[in-house]
């Protein structure tokens, strides 16, 4: 249930948000709905105006869904816009949502450290930068924490709460408490590249491209199979929505951090080179009508980029299944559990709230059968001769242990 009262133990009900961009503005709307006042900081008036226009649009959306116009107006009146940090001495909790650039975060956290009360918690909404590194830009690393909202933050239920190496228990508790008071599912996730949900998502997004590159199944078949199975949107439609350029940057980052099992599909780079970025260039896995911006079918340009032409449907049904596409995500879940990235009982809930999955990867693993998951991974890991190893399928040691123990499910 969404709470309308600020967390009781918060000393003040005003929360500061740094940055009024995509995330900052939707975080503001989520805070207002939970009863908080907001101190909103930007770099200049034009960005503040843009952010406020976005907040107005999101509030109007809420009015269309039943919020009274008076309440929307009241909520809006609880925002104070500022262009400097002077008033930050009055807040106990700051959420930073500035661009994903370490130099910008450094400058902001150094200033927050100067202006905020010594007890104030400084949270960052970073998706990929290190919480520990950001924390050490402030002289109070114990009071810095990751508070990773999902886009759009006023709608998406999940918040990952990520302590850095020096973050105190009290800071984590206060961050969890704030997110819960906003009606969110707040899950503690230990620090790792891309955190929990995007790490697991990355494995599945890559696999969808390798499957397409394999030539046995087409764009629409992949998206449809996955939606029928467990997802609200197919991986290729999602890639078009978020942009291949963003996808490539994330994939390269994961590859750099985790190595070969996060190998980057060549197709993704080829699409970026060809400016086939998805909806933003009206050309991706799908083509888009220039006037209506609606999807008009599979992009004929894509076929030119695919190394191998699509093989006969007979082979497709033999080799492709939606379950197979989720194997790397399932395997990564066992690796994450092995690293104690989250409590096993939180894992499915996080993926369901973060990605809209109808069942999480651990439930899928139990449905497929842990033994069968392992057998499928082993079969894909090595070629028949045993010579070529495909790292993306190297079975997680913890999955093997579950199978050796004769367990049929994780929980
Ligand atoms: N966009 C997403 O889907 C998403 C999802 C989760 C997390 N994130 C993370 O959230 C953060 C913000 O992302 P975004 O997409 O909202 O970016 P954005 O570019 O839309 O917005 C960033 C805003 O911060 C402002 N800004 C820059 N320097 C500032 C400063 N010193 N003080 C105050 N404001 C400043 C910019 O003017 C801009 O309006 C990033 O760390 C990103 O990784 C993004």
């Amino acid at each position: 249930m969404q709470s309308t009262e600020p967390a009781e133990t918060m000393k003040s009900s005003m929360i500061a948000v740094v940055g009024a961009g995509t995330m900052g503005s939707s975080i503001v709307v989520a805070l207002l709905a939970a009863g908080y006042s907001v101190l909103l900081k930007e770099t200049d008036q034009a960005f503040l105006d843009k952010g406020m226009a976005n907040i107005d649009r999101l509030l109007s959306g809420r009015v269309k869904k039943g919020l009274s116009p008076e309440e929307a107006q009241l909520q809006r009146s609880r925002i104070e816009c500022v262009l400097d940090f002077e008033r930050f001495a009055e807040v106990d909790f700051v959420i930073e949502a500035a661009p994903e650039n370490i130099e910008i975060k450094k400058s902001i956290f150094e200033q927050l450290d100067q202006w905020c009360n010594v007890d104030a918690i400084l949270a960052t909404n970073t998706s990929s930068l290190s919480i520990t590194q950001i924390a050490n830009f402030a002289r109070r690393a114990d009071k810095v924490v990751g508070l990773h909202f999902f886009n759009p933050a006023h709608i998406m239920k999940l918040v990952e709460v990520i302590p850095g190496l020096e973050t105190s228990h009290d800071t984590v508790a206060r961050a969890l408490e704030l997110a819960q008071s906003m009606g969110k599912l707040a899950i503690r996730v230990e620090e790792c590249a891309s955190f929990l949900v995007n790490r697991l998502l990355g494995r599945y997004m890559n696999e969808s491209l390798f499957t397409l590159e394999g030539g046995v199944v087409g764009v629409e078949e992949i998206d449809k199979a996955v939606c029928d199975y467990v997802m609200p949107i197919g991986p290729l439609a999602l890639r078009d929505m978020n942009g291949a350029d963003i996808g490539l940057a994330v994939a390269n980052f994961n590859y750099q951090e985790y190595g070969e099992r996060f190998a980057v599909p060549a197709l993704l780079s080829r699409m970026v080179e060809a400016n086939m970025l998805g909806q933003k260039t009206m050309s991706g896995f799908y083509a888009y009508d220039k006037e209506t911006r609606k999807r008009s079918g599979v992009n004929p340009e894509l076929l030119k980029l695919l190394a191998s032409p699509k093989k006969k449907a007979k082979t497709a049904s033999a080799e492709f299944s939606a379950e197979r596409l989720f194997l790397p995500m399932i395997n990564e879940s066992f690796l994450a559990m092995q690293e104690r990235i989250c409590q096993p009982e939180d894992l499915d809930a996080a993926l369901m709230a973060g990605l809209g999955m109808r069942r999480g990867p651990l439930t899928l693993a139990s449905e497929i059968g842990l033994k069968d998951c392992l057998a499928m991974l082993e079969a894909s890991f090595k070629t028949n001769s045993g010579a070529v190893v495909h790292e993306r399928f190297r079975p997680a040691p913890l999955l093997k242990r579950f199978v050796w123990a004769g367990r049929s499910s994780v929980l």
Side-chain angles (χ1 to χ4, degrees):
M1 281 293 284
Q2 180 144 328
S3 161
T4 50
E5 290 297 322
E8 275 173 27
T9 54
M10 289 281 159
K11 283 181 229 148
S12 137
S13 63
M14 186 189 271
I15 309 285
V17 175
V18 179
T22 308
M23 291 309 289
S25 49
S26 64
I27 292 170
V28 168
V29 171
L31 285 165
L32 294 174
Y36 292 99
S37 301
V38 176
L39 187 63
L40 179 59
K41 150 94 174 70
E42 255 294 347
T43 45
D44 69 46
Q45 192 59 43
F47 286 120
L48 264 183
D49 293 345
K50 196 170 161 213
M52 286 306 292
N54 198 27
I55 289 168
D56 284 338
R57 192 178 56 80
L58 300 180
L59 284 173
S60 313
R62 297 222 137 161
V63 169
K64 281 192 195 116
K65 291 199 169 142
L67 184 73
S68 75
E70 297 74 26
E71 173 59 21
Q73 194 49 45
L74 195 71
Q75 289 189 10
R76 192 191 193 278
S77 70
R78 294 206 303 267
I79 307 172
E80 284 182 50
C81 294
V82 291
L83 294 173
D84 56 40
F85 288 101
E86 257 174 57
R87 299 227 13 234
F88 275 58
E90 296 166 38
V91 300
D92 296 315
F93 208 110
V94 180
I95 303 173
E96 168 275 316
E100 191 75 334
N101 172 306
I102 197 71
E103 289 308 318
I104 294 179
K105 307 275 191 206
K106 180 172 189 282
S107 149
I108 290 173
F109 276 79
E110 284 172 352
Q111 294 186 74
L112 288 174
D113 195 45
Q114 275 178 28
W115 287 99
C116 293
N117 190 300
V118 283
D119 290 331
I121 306 284
L122 311 179
T124 172
N125 187 44
T126 181
S127 317
S128 61
L129 300 171
S130 161
I131 309 300
T132 301
Q133 190 180 7
I134 292 174
N136 279 277
F137 296 142
R139 286 162 302 173
R140 57 177 95 184
D142 61 317
K143 299 241 164 23
V144 179
V145 65
L147 201 61
H148 186 224
F149 289 85
F150 287 70
N151 187 19
H154 65 299
I155 292 176
M156 298 299 288
K157 267 278 186 195
L158 183 66
V159 176
E160 293 177 318
V161 174
I162 309 125
L165 202 60
E166 316 281 357
T167 309
S168 72
H169 291 300
D170 177 59
T171 300
V172 175
R174 284 173 67 188
L176 287 166
E177 188 184 7
L178 173 69
Q180 282 158 1
S181 75
M182 296 167 75
K184 301 295 182 190
L185 174 69
I187 288 183
R188 177 182 171 137
V189 171
E190 301 311 317
E191 187 170 7
C192 65
S194 295
F195 313 135
L196 177 69
V197 171
N198 287 339
R199 170 175 167 180
L200 267 52
L201 175 70
R203 293 278 263 132
Y204 146 85
M205 292 296 279
N206 284 353
E207 201 53 34
S208 67
L209 292 194
F210 284 122
T211 305
L212 186 65
E213 280 178 343
V216 294
V217 64
V219 171
E220 286 169 312
E221 290 126 299
I222 290 178
D223 276 355
K224 179 174 183 325
V226 159
C227 289
D228 289 347
Y229 187 42
V230 76
M231 283 294 195
I233 179 172
L236 306 175
L238 180 65
R239 177 52 57 250
D240 271 5
M241 232 170 84
N242 292 345
D245 49 345
I246 305 280
L248 181 62
V250 169
N252 281 336
F253 169 71
N254 283 330
Y255 177 65
Q256 170 200 298
E257 296 298 311
Y258 290 111
E260 227 27 70
R261 73 178 191 275
F262 271 88
V264 181
L267 179 60
L268 195 54
S269 314
R270 277 190 241 126
M271 288 180 77
V272 173
E273 277 163 26
N275 202 33
M276 289 167 58
L277 306 184
Q279 290 180 8
K280 64 176 106 167
T281 58
M282 308 291 233
S283 165
F285 295 101
Y286 295 93
Y288 297 84
D289 185 285
K290 294 215 160 47
E291 281 181 8
T292 61
R293 303 185 75 87
K294 288 213 172 108
R295 207 158 92 180
S296 57
V298 175
N299 190 354
E301 294 297 310
L302 180 72
L303 301 176
K304 296 181 195 158
L305 298 187
L306 285 168
S308 48
K310 197 179 158 205
K311 291 172 197 154
K312 294 247 155 61
K314 203 170 153 225
T315 335
S317 58
E319 292 184 21
F320 173 71
S321 73
E323 285 177 354
R324 225 189 106 80
L325 234 154
F326 283 86
L327 272 187
M329 179 196 264
I330 290 171
N331 203 36
E332 196 68 25
S333 303
F334 281 88
L335 290 169
M337 274 194 294
Q338 203 175 304
E339 293 168 29
R340 300 185 189 281
I341 294 299
C342 68
Q343 295 294 326
E345 56 271 26
D346 285 343
L347 196 143
D348 275 5
L351 273 282
M352 288 164 76
L355 303 180
M357 291 178 80
R358 296 192 288 281
R359 288 158 353 260
L362 297 181
T363 301
L364 299 184
S366 306
E367 286 172 10
I368 298 167
L370 299 188
K371 215 170 150 189
D372 287 346
C373 282
L374 180 58
M376 283 158 80
L377 285 164
E378 279 171 341
S380 302
F381 178 49
K382 285 186 188 158
T383 56
N384 288 342
S385 66
V388 181
V389 164
H390 296 288
E391 280 301 329
R392 5 194 263 279
F393 298 106
R394 182 188 289 276
L398 186 63
L399 172 60
K400 289 187 196 172
R401 282 182 222 139
F402 269 89
V403 172
W404 290 330
R407 297 269 289 268
S408 58
S409 67
V410 175
L411 302 171

